[in-house]
């Protein structure tokens, strides 16, 4: 039962960048992983996912600004976010997903807050 801990969020000005991290407790290299976000008053939505072979996929609106990556030696998932705008303000979560999809296969962590002003 993998446990996930997100970090790296914070406050940034529009146009800035942040890099989020998601540390996994175990069996990380066998998992396909995804990032999600939830803005206040809105549903949680998909951001990006990465398979265990490194294949990536992004929500259409985020292509070109966000980059998902993984370090299997550190059991860590990353999300590099560039050219941030206020619309990117949200709580960001990672999860284990079914490979090639955004279908979650793990519990949610506590998330990490991103605020863009």
């Amino acid at each position: 039962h993998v446990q996930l801990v997100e970090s790296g969020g914070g406050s940034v000005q529009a146009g800035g960048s942040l890099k989020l991290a998601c540390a996994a407790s175990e069996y990380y290299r066998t998992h396909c992983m995804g990032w999600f976000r939830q803005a206040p008053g809105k549903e949680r939505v998909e951001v990006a996912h990465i398979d265990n072979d490194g294949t990536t996929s992004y929500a259409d609106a985020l292509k070109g600004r966000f980059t998902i990556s993984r370090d299997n030696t550190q059991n860590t998932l990353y999300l590099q976010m560039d050219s941030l705008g206020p619309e990117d303000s949200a709580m960001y979560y990672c999860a284990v997903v079914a490979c090639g999809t955004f279908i979650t296969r793990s519990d949610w962590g506590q998330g990490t807050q991103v605020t863009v002003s």
Side-chain angles (χ1 to χ4, degrees):
H1 186 70
V2 65
Q3 293 184 331
L4 304 168
V5 178
E6 301 92 340
S7 63
S11 296
V12 64
Q13 291 187 339
S17 299
L18 281 174
K19 188 172 186 177
L20 308 183
C22 167
S25 62
E26 60 185 14
Y27 308 127
Y28 175 73
R29 68 176 62 243
T30 66
H31 291 317
C32 298
M33 303 292 297
W35 282 102
F36 301 76
R37 68 185 185 182
Q38 186 170 20
K42 296 187 178 181
E43 294 185 351
R44 188 152 24 203
V45 298
E46 303 145 353
V47 172
H49 65 73
I50 183 167
D51 288 350
N52 46 16
D53 66 356
T55 302
T56 60
S57 181
Y58 298 87
D60 287 343
L62 302 176
K63 288 179 181 177
R65 293 196 300 120
F66 287 18
T67 304
I68 189 171
S69 63
R70 63 191 298 159
D71 183 343
N72 288 343
T73 65
Q74 299 295 322
N75 284 4
T76 304
L77 175 74
Y78 298 101
L79 184 68
Q80 175 69 45
M81 306 186 296
D82 299 317
S83 301
L84 287 165
E87 68 279 9
D88 297 312
S89 295
M91 187 72 80
Y92 283 72
Y93 301 88
C94 61
V96 177
V97 297
C99 294
T101 80
F102 282 108
I103 301 171
T104 58
R105 289 287 183 260
S106 68
D107 295 333
W108 297 109
Q110 84 288 350
T112 187
Q113 179 69 45
V114 172
T115 303
V116 185
S117 59

